[in-house]
């Protein structure tokens, strides 16, 4: 009797089924990775230091960003490059897929926040902005002025006012407010140093610091680009002639919290180190953080014979060379104010 060959249909069937099941499962994993996360609006998401795969799974589940979270370990197993995420704070957008989220975490490209310090603002304004900035590490709040000077590499007795460059700064979560101030201070030192080196000859400043003081006054006197060098020329001319500067912004700075929005004649007659109606020359420190344009104006004032200026009612100023013309400009300005009421 002739023996029949053994039949291996059953094991082959099992293998075929296993292959089908495997590829079906892989497809499910791919679909899981490609599906959009559950997000209706932008989300700032932090992956803490030391977070592992299980920890990230818990976080994504906690924020309800994914469904079927039990598939995440399998995704990490089959796509290990997606499991190389880095700690940080990231900006997640509506419509992102889980895969793109994990790729973002793996890239380490943290979201950057912006903080804006405007020209003409004071250190007290900066302190409030820093206190309210999101995801910023606060280090300066409990520092004494001396400790802050030391941290910034400044000499004891120097004024912090004026020494920070107004600009928009980018930072990542966990950056310290002190680090931002250092960046702003170093940038201002660079700008002042460059303008001092390139300044016009024979200016009545004894140092770069006096030029910075002048820049701060110009910054507070006008926001019009074309006027800055004219304003600078008025104050430079007055310094050369030993005339008092008589500029209201310095008086306001000297009043501090006593200033309520109006300068009274009694304020002009009350001595403070910043009352330029009473003191000779420049005040002892800057009165604000000047921008680049005002610093350049202080270093390169226009060549004029102007000694006075007053608001013209249109947002700008009228510049004059003598007191008679100045008084007439003041009278016209006051008439303009009455007409506008």
């Amino acid at each position: 009797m002739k023996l029949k060959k053994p039949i291996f249909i059953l094991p082959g069937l099992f293998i075929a089924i296993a292959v089908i099941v495997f590829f079906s499962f892989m497809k499910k994993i791919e679909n899981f990775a490609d599906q959009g996360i559950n997000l209706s609006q932008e989300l700032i998401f932090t992956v803490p230091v030391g977070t592992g795969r299980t920890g990230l799974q818990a976080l994504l589940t906690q924020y309800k960003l994914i469904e079927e979270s039990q598939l995440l370990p399998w995704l990490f197993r089959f796509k290990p490059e997606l499991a190389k995420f880095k700690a940080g704070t990231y900006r997640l957008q509506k419509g992102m897929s889980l895969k793109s989220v994990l790729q973002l975490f793996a890239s380490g490209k943290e979201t950057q926040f912006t903080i804006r310090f405007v020209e003409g603002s004071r250190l007290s304004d900066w302190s409030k902005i820093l206190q309210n900035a999101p995801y910023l590490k606060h280090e300066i709040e409990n520092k004494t002025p001396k400790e802050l000077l030391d941290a910034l590499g400044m000499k004891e007795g120097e004024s912090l006012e004026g020494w920070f460059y107004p600009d928009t700064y980018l930072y990542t979560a966990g950056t310290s407010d002190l680090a931002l101030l250092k960046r702003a201070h170093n940038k201002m030192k660079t700008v002042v140093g460059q303008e001092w080196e390139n300044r016009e000859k024979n200016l009545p400043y004894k140092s770069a610091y006096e030029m910075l003081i002048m820049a701060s006054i110009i910054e507070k006197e006008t926001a019009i680009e074309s006027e800055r060098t004219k304003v600078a020329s008025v104050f430079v001319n007055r310094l050369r002639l030993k005339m008092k500067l008589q500029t209201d912004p310095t008086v306001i700075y000297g009043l501090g919290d006593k200033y309520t929005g109006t300068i009274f004649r009694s304020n002009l007659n009350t001595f403070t180190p910043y009352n330029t109606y009473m003191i000779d020359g420049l005040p002892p420190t800057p009165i604000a953080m000047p921008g680049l344009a005002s610093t350049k104006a202080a270093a390169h004032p226009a060549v004029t014979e102007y000694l006075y200026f007053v608001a013209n009612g249109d947002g700008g100023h009228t510049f004059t060379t003598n007191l008679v013309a100045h008084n007439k400009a003041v009278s016209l300005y006051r008439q303009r104010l009455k007409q506008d009421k």
Side-chain angles (χ1 to χ4, degrees):
M1 182 177 176
K2 190 176 182 181
L3 295 175
K4 294 182 179 180
K5 293 181 179 180
I7 300 174
F8 294 100
I9 295 177
L10 195 57
L13 181 60
F14 284 152
I15 293 173
I17 293 174
V19 170
I20 292 172
V21 170
F22 173 77
F23 282 103
S24 177
F25 185 67
M26 285 294 294
K27 185 63 176 177
K28 186 175 183 179
I29 295 297
E30 289 179 5
N31 290 338
F32 174 65
D34 291 336
Q35 71 182 11
I37 56 174
N38 297 324
L39 197 61
S40 59
Q41 59 184 7
E42 181 182 277
L43 174 67
I44 303 298
F45 187 91
T46 299
V47 179
V49 175
T51 300
R53 297 183 182 187
T54 302
L56 182 60
Q57 180 179 347
L59 283 172
L60 294 173
T61 303
Q62 177 186 336
Y63 281 90
K64 299 180 180 179
L65 295 178
I66 60 173
E67 298 175 358
E68 300 181 284
S69 61
Q70 70 277 6
L71 295 178
L72 191 60
W74 290 101
L75 177 60
F76 287 150
R77 179 175 295 183
F78 292 120
K79 298 285 185 180
E81 68 275 11
L82 298 179
K84 297 178 181 179
F85 45 85
K86 299 177 177 67
T89 299
Y90 302 90
R91 193 182 302 271
L92 306 186
Q93 305 282 359
K94 177 183 177 182
M96 290 181 73
S97 68
L98 175 59
K99 182 179 179 180
S100 61
V101 167
L102 295 175
Q103 287 173 333
L104 177 63
F105 293 166
S107 73
K109 294 179 181 177
E110 294 187 70
T111 186
Q112 290 191 314
F113 302 92
T114 60
I115 192 167
R116 170 68 176 162
F117 300 116
V118 299
E119 295 86 347
S121 56
R122 301 178 181 177
L123 183 60
S124 57
D125 301 319
W126 285 42
S127 297
K128 293 175 184 177
I129 294 171
L130 289 168
Q131 287 173 4
N132 296 323
Y135 299 96
L136 198 63
K137 182 180 178 182
H138 299 287
E139 293 183 349
I140 66 172
E141 191 173 0
N142 298 319
K143 286 188 181 296
T144 65
K146 182 182 183 306
E147 289 173 336
L148 192 52
L149 285 169
D150 289 342
L152 293 169
M154 298 176 66
K155 297 178 181 178
E156 185 175 356
E158 287 187 333
S159 171
L160 293 166
E161 195 74 88
W163 269 121
F164 302 99
Y165 189 78
D167 203 351
T168 298
Y169 294 89
L170 300 176
Y171 67 94
T172 55
T175 299
S176 72
D177 48 10
L178 181 58
L180 284 176
L181 284 183
K182 284 181 178 179
R183 285 165 57 189
H185 177 59
N186 290 334
K187 190 168 183 178
M188 182 61 92
K189 283 198 303 182
T190 299
V191 168
V192 171
Q194 290 174 343
E195 295 306 319
W196 178 249
E197 288 297 318
N198 297 323
R199 71 190 185 281
E200 299 295 328
K201 295 180 180 179
N202 302 318
L203 292 176
Y205 311 135
K206 297 176 183 177
S207 65
Y209 188 56
E210 287 196 352
M211 187 186 73
L212 177 63
I213 295 172
M214 177 64 81
S216 74
I217 297 173
I218 297 167
E219 189 67 62
K220 296 301 290 185
E221 282 286 8
T222 184
I224 299 177
E225 187 78 22
S226 61
E227 284 192 349
R228 288 192 173 99
T229 56
K230 292 181 183 178
V231 170
S233 75
V234 170
F235 292 132
V236 164
N237 290 340
R238 281 177 164 262
L239 286 175
R240 285 174 173 156
L241 294 172
K242 307 299 182 183
M243 294 176 66
K244 289 180 171 58
L245 296 186
Q246 295 184 321
T247 169
D248 291 353
T250 62
V251 177
I252 292 170
Y253 187 85
L255 289 172
D257 294 336
K258 295 179 181 178
Y259 178 66
T260 58
T262 302
I263 296 180
F264 299 97
R265 184 163 295 278
S266 60
N267 299 139
L268 301 181
N269 295 327
T270 300
F271 176 81
T272 76
Y274 293 87
N275 187 346
T276 50
Y277 285 82
M278 301 189 74
I279 68 168
D280 294 322
L282 293 161
T285 73
I287 59 172
M289 311 298 178
L292 180 60
S294 292
T295 306
K296 283 183 174 295
H300 305 277
V303 178
T304 75
E305 295 183 357
Y306 295 138
L307 294 173
Y308 304 89
F309 64 92
V310 67
N312 60 18
D314 293 322
H317 296 83
T318 299
F319 294 83
T320 51
T321 60
N322 59 78
L323 187 57
V324 173
H326 174 65
N327 287 337
K328 183 178 180 180
V330 171
S331 178
L332 289 172
Y333 173 61
R334 288 173 177 169
Q335 290 177 24
R336 178 72 179 270
L337 290 179
K338 290 179 180 179
Q339 294 173 359
D340 291 342
K341 286 184 178 180

